Amino acid sequence: DAKTTQPNSMESNEEEPVHLPCNHSTISGTDYIHWYRQLPSQGPEYVIHGLTSNVNNRMASLAIAEDRKSSTLILHRATLRDAAVYYCILRASSGSARQLTFGSGTQLTVLP
Amino acid sequence: NAGVTQTPKFQVLKTGQSMTLQCAQDMNHEYMSWYRQDPGMGLRLIHYSVGAGITDQGEVPNGYNVSRSTTEDFPLRLLSAAPSQTSVYFCASSRTRTGELFFGEGSRLTVL
């Protein structure tokens, strides 16, 4: 199974952009890159996902490297409500549907 | 629209007891999965299903059974609870195997 690697923690100032990195050097051509975030005592919440091209939605942007071995979740203006654990996972479109475990994610702290 | 509903939200068991965690979704999603999350850790995949009648093991399947007799329901059974199964359990579903995952609110299980 392909693995993802994320920093354990990051800090950002409120209203500044945040770039959360994820490495997935063993990604296969059919793996979709997903990002979720989890607030304390809640279930994970979907943020964004993509395959090859960069993606934008109301919550964030996803920048995918040309070789797809890494990606970056971009929060354009961090707010205190964005403080959460952010997970990067891969979901395969073919072969086994067993997806990558979520790992420990990146704890984002937003400073006022 | 209820989304993914998990019951019970809290449960205390004694070692050796059995129980079933219920998960239901009303979005006609084909893919459903169960995760466990231990304190300070990410989510680990227990079992998953790509459709009614089809289930497969995830990363940590030992001690758990699942079945998928309908599209809507995906119960998780603990046959003989052990203290090592104390955890928070999350159920998730998605329309496709690569699409957005929707999570339930979680079920907190304590095994004494």
Side-chain angles (χ1 to χ4, degrees), chain A residues 5 9 14-15 23 26 28 49 57 64 72 76 78 87 93 95 98 108-109:
Chain A
T5 305
S9 63
E14 197 176 9
E15 298 189 1
N23 287 321
T26 59
S28 75
H49 78 283
N57 65 21
I64 300 173
T72 302
H76 296 286
Y87 297 101
S93 63
R98 173 179 163 166
L108 175 66
T109 301

Side-chain angles (χ1 to χ4, degrees), chain A residues 6 8 13 18 23-24 30 44 54 56 59 69 80 104 108:
Chain A
Q6 300 176 252
N8 288 334
N13 293 320
V18 182
N23 287 321
H24 27 79
T30 57
N54 295 344
N56 300 297
M59 290 182 69
K69 293 185 177 182
L80 296 178
S104 298
L108 175 66

Side-chain angles (χ1 to χ4, degrees), chain B residues 9 13 16 18 24 26 29 31-33 36-38 45 50 53 57 67 69 72-73 75 81 87 97 100 106-107:
Chain B
K9 287 185 169 49
L13 292 178
S18 62
D26 61 0
H29 285 174
Y31 183 95
M32 296 186 74
S33 51
R36 60 176 288 173
Q37 185 173 35
D38 299 325
L45 183 65
V50 297
Q57 297 181 348
S67 60
S69 56
E72 295 77 20
D73 300 299
S87 190
R97 60 191 292 170
E100 173 185 352
S107 298

Side-chain angles (χ1 to χ4, degrees), chain A residues 42-44, chain B residues 2-6 23-24 89-93 102-107:
Chain A
Q42 294 188 19
Chain B
V4 178
T5 303
Q6 291 184 232
C23 176
Y89 292 83
F90 290 100
C91 178
S93 73
F102 292 81
F103 284 84
E105 295 181 349
S107 298

